[in-house]
Amino acid sequence: MKAEPFEAPVFSDDEAAAVLARNAFAKRGAEIAARRRAEGEVQNKCESAPDDSPAWPKPQPLTVRVEPEPYPVDALPPRIRAAVEEVQGYVQAPLPMVASSALAALSVAIQAYADVQRDSHLSGPVSLFVLIVADSGERKTTCDGFFMRAIRDYEREQAEAALPELARQRAELAAWEPKASGIKDRIRQDSKAGKPTARLEAELVKLEAEKPEPPRVPRLLYSDVTPEQLAWALAHGWPAGGVVSAEAGTVFGGHGMSADSVMRNLSMLNQLWDGCHLAVDRRTSESFAVRGARLSSALQTQETTLRAFFEKAGPLVRGSGFMARFLVAWPQSTQGTRLFVDSPEHWPHMAGFNQRITEILNQAAPLNGRGGLEPQTLTLSPEARAAWIAFHDAIEVQLASGGELFDVRDVASKSADNAARLDGWLVGHCGREHTLMVAKSHVLQHGPLRKAQKLDDALKLLTGLDRVRVERIGRAFYVKVNPAVVSGGGDA
């Protein structure tokens, strides 16, 4: 019998797409079924065979609640402590916030006059970066008002005293500018005519050296300022200042910390805190340099703003050492407990505090011929140096593996986050698949960590917390999950 010619079925585009989709789903389903059968066979073998691995201990939690520590107000010198307690008794703000305002005021006032030498090769500013994590309404502005009062009074007095000098400088500049403009016009004319201009250029150089400069009037406090504006003010104005703000959005959330400028600005603030020479190069305006300047800061920010800053800036915040420069306090709120109290008739301790600040500021600032600071270098007493070395060594030991501060090292900033993500994924996977083990290769392919090193680091941390084990079965590695973790007893 003659065979009929075979004709392939003709599909429309939609029908063809449907066929391909069904084939793809079927293939994927077969792969999943095969993987589940393989994992099931491995698990059955493990369950039927003697288990040489030790029994699971109770899993340790990934996170722990850190109870607030009492603020070490006893460590403050008696006069400062008395002023802090006097203000706190009336304002009823959190004690760490009140103390931070006092320390910030001292830092702003003193930083121009002294550096501290810790040993023959370690010397630096006494400037402080202080950060309070708190919601609005905790009365930081009120606290700053008490402790910054003498500084603001000093600024106002110095600005008023400088008015005649500023007027004189403006008049001299008005007379100087036509001279400079005239020489520049003659240089352009002679240059076009092919005439020599060396003599005129020398006159211009001499005239530029005689340009009337405005007097350096002390401006110590800033609130809403970008890092570059701050650097410019320290270079061209007074070389010591402090950023004091109860709403630190400019530092943590402003355009000065946008994705394309965050690294530059963090580096700039770090160098100002260190008292280093800082060169600011600009493409569209005049470049400048900051030499011999000192910077302090006293900031309050809300938790949500700080978290958003960390998410936006990523590892740059910690990797640059920016946050490591701050004295951070996250006090418990006192809102709801601040019942009315009458203002004291006398403030003897705050009066003494502000008087001492005024005495410090009224000293002549150690300015050099370029307008930068040359502070006196103070050395530590034997007792103070011994205390500093003991503190330094105690912190260093805790940074080692197993130490209390190991997980807050900048180089390990992501390990806990990755472990938490992997832990959540493993719990969800095991719950859906009704299993307590999963191939490590499957975790790498389908889990949240797609790089082998990150996965290994996370598994190492989870293993140390008795939440998982990694075991080799045959030729493959498997992640075994502590049953208590999957059942919800692991406090993830």
Side-chain angles (χ1 to χ4, degrees):
M1 184 172 71
K2 185 177 179 182
E4 295 293 330
F6 173 78
E7 293 184 5
V10 178
F11 296 106
S12 67
D13 290 344
D14 291 341
E15 290 172 330
V19 170
L20 292 174
R22 284 196 298 272
N23 290 341
F25 282 126
K27 181 179 179 181
R28 178 61 179 152
E31 291 175 351
I32 293 174
R35 176 179 58 76
R36 289 181 177 175
R37 284 196 300 272
E39 291 183 0
E41 291 172 0
V42 172
Q43 184 156 344
N44 289 336
K45 291 178 181 178
C46 293
E47 291 174 350
S48 61
D51 191 355
D52 296 330
S53 59
W56 285 102
K58 182 179 179 180
Q60 302 176 52
L62 273 171
T63 59
V64 294
R65 176 176 175 81
V66 179
E67 296 296 333
E69 295 286 342
Y71 192 85
V73 67
D74 293 342
L76 296 175
R79 292 175 63 183
I80 301 172
R81 175 184 175 181
V84 167
E85 292 176 338
E86 190 173 67
V87 171
Q88 202 273 336
Y90 172 65
V91 178
Q92 303 179 74
L95 181 62
M97 179 178 291
V98 183
S100 295
S101 292
L103 292 175
L106 290 167
S107 176
V108 171
I110 295 171
Q111 62 184 350
Y113 300 93
D115 287 346
V116 64
Q117 182 173 323
R118 302 182 292 285
D119 71 12
S120 58
H121 297 288
L122 289 175
S123 180
V126 297
S127 307
L128 298 179
F129 276 17
V130 178
L131 176 64
I132 297 292
V133 183
D135 291 334
S136 298
E138 293 291 353
R139 299 180 175 173
K140 181 181 186 300
T141 301
T142 303
C143 296
D144 289 338
F146 279 97
F147 291 100
M148 301 289 176
R149 181 176 301 163
I151 298 176
R152 297 191 187 281
D153 290 345
Y154 172 78
E155 281 186 317
R156 183 172 57 255
E157 293 168 0
Q158 292 296 310
E160 292 175 356
L163 289 176
E165 183 68 15
L166 286 170
R168 183 189 62 78
Q169 185 268 340
R170 286 194 296 269
E172 292 178 351
L173 184 62
W176 177 89
E177 286 175 339
K179 298 178 183 178
S181 180
I183 295 177
K184 292 176 183 178
D185 288 341
R186 289 165 57 192
I187 290 175
R188 281 193 292 270
Q189 293 171 4
D190 288 356
S191 180
K192 288 181 179 179
K195 296 180 180 179
T197 60
R199 182 181 59 80
L200 292 173
E201 291 173 10
E203 290 183 16
L204 183 61
V205 170
K206 181 180 179 182
L207 190 62
E208 284 289 343
E210 299 171 354
K211 182 178 180 179
E213 295 293 336
R216 290 184 176 263
V217 182
R219 164 121 186 244
L220 301 179
L221 298 179
Y222 301 84
S223 57
D224 186 8
V225 61
T226 66
E228 186 165 320
Q229 290 170 339
L230 182 63
W232 193 94
L234 294 173
H236 296 86
W238 196 248
V243 181
V244 179
S245 175
E247 297 293 340
T250 301
V251 176
F252 295 110
H255 68 273
M257 289 298 177
S258 59
D260 59 341
S261 61
V262 61
M263 188 60 192
R264 179 181 71 252
N265 285 331
L266 290 180
S267 176
M268 187 180 299
L269 291 171
N270 286 347
Q271 292 180 71
L272 291 175
W273 181 85
D274 291 331
C276 298
H277 167 76
L278 172 64
V280 180
D281 296 319
R282 291 171 164 176
R283 293 182 180 180
T284 58
S285 58
E286 180 185 358
S287 299
F288 62 92
V290 185
R291 297 183 179 88
R294 297 293 182 268
L295 176 66
S296 299
S297 72
L299 307 174
Q300 176 182 327
T301 186
Q302 297 182 26
E303 176 188 354
T304 53
T305 302
L306 189 61
R307 289 189 183 278
F309 172 62
F310 271 91
E311 291 175 2
K312 179 174 66 174
L316 294 177
V317 180
R318 296 187 66 168
S320 68
F322 177 65
M323 290 305 301
R325 287 167 166 76
F326 280 88
L327 297 176
V328 183
W330 193 333
Q332 290 183 310
S333 174
T334 59
Q335 296 189 50
T337 65
R338 305 169 301 187
L339 302 182
F340 177 81
V341 295
D342 285 316
S343 173
E345 184 175 353
H346 302 289
W347 296 80
H349 302 299
M350 272 308 306
F353 182 94
N354 286 325
Q355 180 182 350
R356 183 59 183 140
I357 293 292
T358 300
E359 291 172 355
I360 293 171
L361 293 175
N362 282 332
Q363 300 177 71
L367 298 175
N368 57 32
R370 300 182 301 275
L373 292 168
E374 292 184 348
Q376 175 187 0
T377 299
L378 304 178
T379 57
L380 298 175
S381 68
E383 296 81 7
R385 189 169 187 272
W388 176 77
I389 292 174
F391 176 76
H392 172 278
D393 291 348
I395 295 296
E396 185 65 23
V397 169
Q398 294 303 326
L399 292 174
S401 179
E404 291 185 6
L405 302 179
F406 177 75
D407 284 331
V408 300
R409 299 177 310 161
D410 288 338
V411 296
S413 61
K414 283 293 184 181
S415 61
D417 290 342
N418 288 337
R421 292 170 60 201
L422 179 58
D423 187 85
W425 185 88
L426 287 171
V427 171
H429 174 84
C430 291
R432 290 190 305 270
E433 301 294 330
H434 305 290
T435 183
L436 291 175
M437 61 185 300
V438 56
K440 184 181 175 183
S441 59
H442 184 76
V443 179
L444 184 62
Q445 183 178 0
H446 300 282
L449 306 178
R450 303 297 178 88
K451 292 186 177 181
Q453 186 60 55
K454 288 185 177 181
L455 176 61
D456 288 341
D457 290 342
L459 287 172
K460 181 178 179 180
L461 181 55
L462 293 176
T463 299
L465 295 173
D466 298 315
R467 302 181 75 85
V468 303
R469 293 174 184 155
V470 180
E471 296 183 6
R472 182 170 183 169
I473 303 175
R475 302 177 67 178
F477 287 92
Y478 286 80
V479 179
K480 289 186 175 182
V481 184
N482 189 327
V485 173
V486 178
S487 65
D491 298 325

